Amino acid sequence: MTRAPAVDLHRPKVEYFNIDELTNIDPKGFVRQVERYHVEPWGLYMARTSDHPEFHYIESWLLPTVSIRATVFHFTPAHLRDQDYYIDIGTFMQVGPKQWKSVDHYLDLVVRQGREVELLDVDELLAAHSAGYLTLTEAQDAIRSATATIDGIAAHGHNFEAWLASKDIKLSWM
């Protein structure tokens, strides 16, 4: 009998985005300098450098009304990936006049424009719920958000930004 790989069980990843300070406090508590924040009625844009071995720059939009964080990673040439957008499912909110917070709810989507959307980390969501890290309602909301996003993107020819435009959300990237 084969064994399923072990799940990386962890509490939800929480990040803070401080617009005035131009900082992003990552889930491990590291304070990262941000080059640019931009606020729109539908969300918060962040762009910053990264010291990650696989990518050197990150751009993200926190989009509370659709419960997603859309990210474009600028990969190093040795670590290019077949993806256009990486989407985290969770809760994203403004928590102060110039501060935002994200709470990752484990499910992720990889969008390949015009082709497909891949759902990742269902095992992490189920393990987190089983461990009491997410309530049943939070887990159900994550599944609803992920499936609505997948369905919406698919209904728009697997075009992520066309789906968002149908919701009056227009993203801009560097």
Side-chain angles (χ1 to χ4, degrees), residues 74-86:
H74 296 265
F75 292 101
T76 62
H79 294 93
L80 295 177
R81 291 193 187 169
D82 181 21
Q83 71 182 45
D84 297 295
Y85 302 98
Y86 192 89

Side-chain angles (χ1 to χ4, degrees), residues 32 55 134 141:
R32 309 289 184 176
F55 55 90
L134 285 182
D141 287 346

Side-chain angles (χ1 to χ4, degrees), residues 8-67:
D8 176 24
L9 183 61
H10 58 84
R11 294 197 175 279
K13 294 177 181 174
V14 178
E15 285 187 65
Y16 291 93
F17 305 83
N18 297 301
I19 296 169
D20 279 346
E21 298 170 11
L22 285 175
T23 60
N24 165 220
I25 302 171
D26 75 12
K28 294 178 181 171
F30 293 109
V31 178
R32 309 289 184 176
Q33 286 305 124
V34 172
E35 287 186 6
R36 181 170 178 233
Y37 277 121
H38 178 75
V39 179
E40 289 287 350
W42 57 81
L44 175 69
Y45 171 80
M46 177 199 70
R48 68 171 175 81
T49 59
S50 173
D51 59 1
H52 194 279
E54 295 181 12
F55 55 90
H56 59 89
Y57 204 80
I58 181 173
E59 297 178 79
S60 285
W61 275 97
L62 306 182
L63 303 170
T65 60
V66 288
S67 300

Side-chain angles (χ1 to χ4, degrees), residues 23-156:
T23 60
N24 165 220
I25 302 171
D26 75 12
K28 294 178 181 171
F30 293 109
V31 178
R32 309 289 184 176
Q33 286 305 124
V34 172
E35 287 186 6
R36 181 170 178 233
Y37 277 121
H38 178 75
V39 179
E40 289 287 350
W42 57 81
L44 175 69
Y45 171 80
M46 177 199 70
R48 68 171 175 81
T49 59
S50 173
D51 59 1
H52 194 279
E54 295 181 12
F55 55 90
H56 59 89
Y57 204 80
I58 181 173
E59 297 178 79
S60 285
W61 275 97
L62 306 182
L63 303 170
T65 60
V66 288
S67 300
I68 66 173
R69 174 183 181 172
T71 299
V72 171
F73 292 102
H74 296 265
F75 292 101
T76 62
H79 294 93
L80 295 177
R81 291 193 187 169
D82 181 21
Q83 71 182 45
D84 297 295
Y85 302 98
Y86 192 89
I87 298 174
D88 295 288
I89 305 297
T91 57
F92 309 93
M93 70 212 82
Q94 189 169 358
V95 293
K98 298 287 185 170
Q99 187 177 47
W100 288 61
K101 177 182 178 182
S102 75
V103 181
D104 186 279
H105 286 171
Y106 303 94
L107 295 179
D108 300 311
L109 307 174
V110 172
V111 179
R112 296 176 186 95
Q113 284 287 86
R115 294 184 290 147
E116 65 185 349
V117 179
E118 181 181 1
L119 174 64
L120 305 174
D121 301 331
V122 173
D123 56 343
E124 285 187 26
L125 173 78
L126 297 174
H129 169 63
S130 181
Y133 296 159
L134 285 182
T135 67
L136 178 59
T137 300
E138 289 169 327
Q140 289 172 326
D141 287 346
I143 293 167
R144 269 192 286 275
S145 296
T147 56
T149 301
I150 292 167
D151 288 350
I153 294 169
H156 287 84

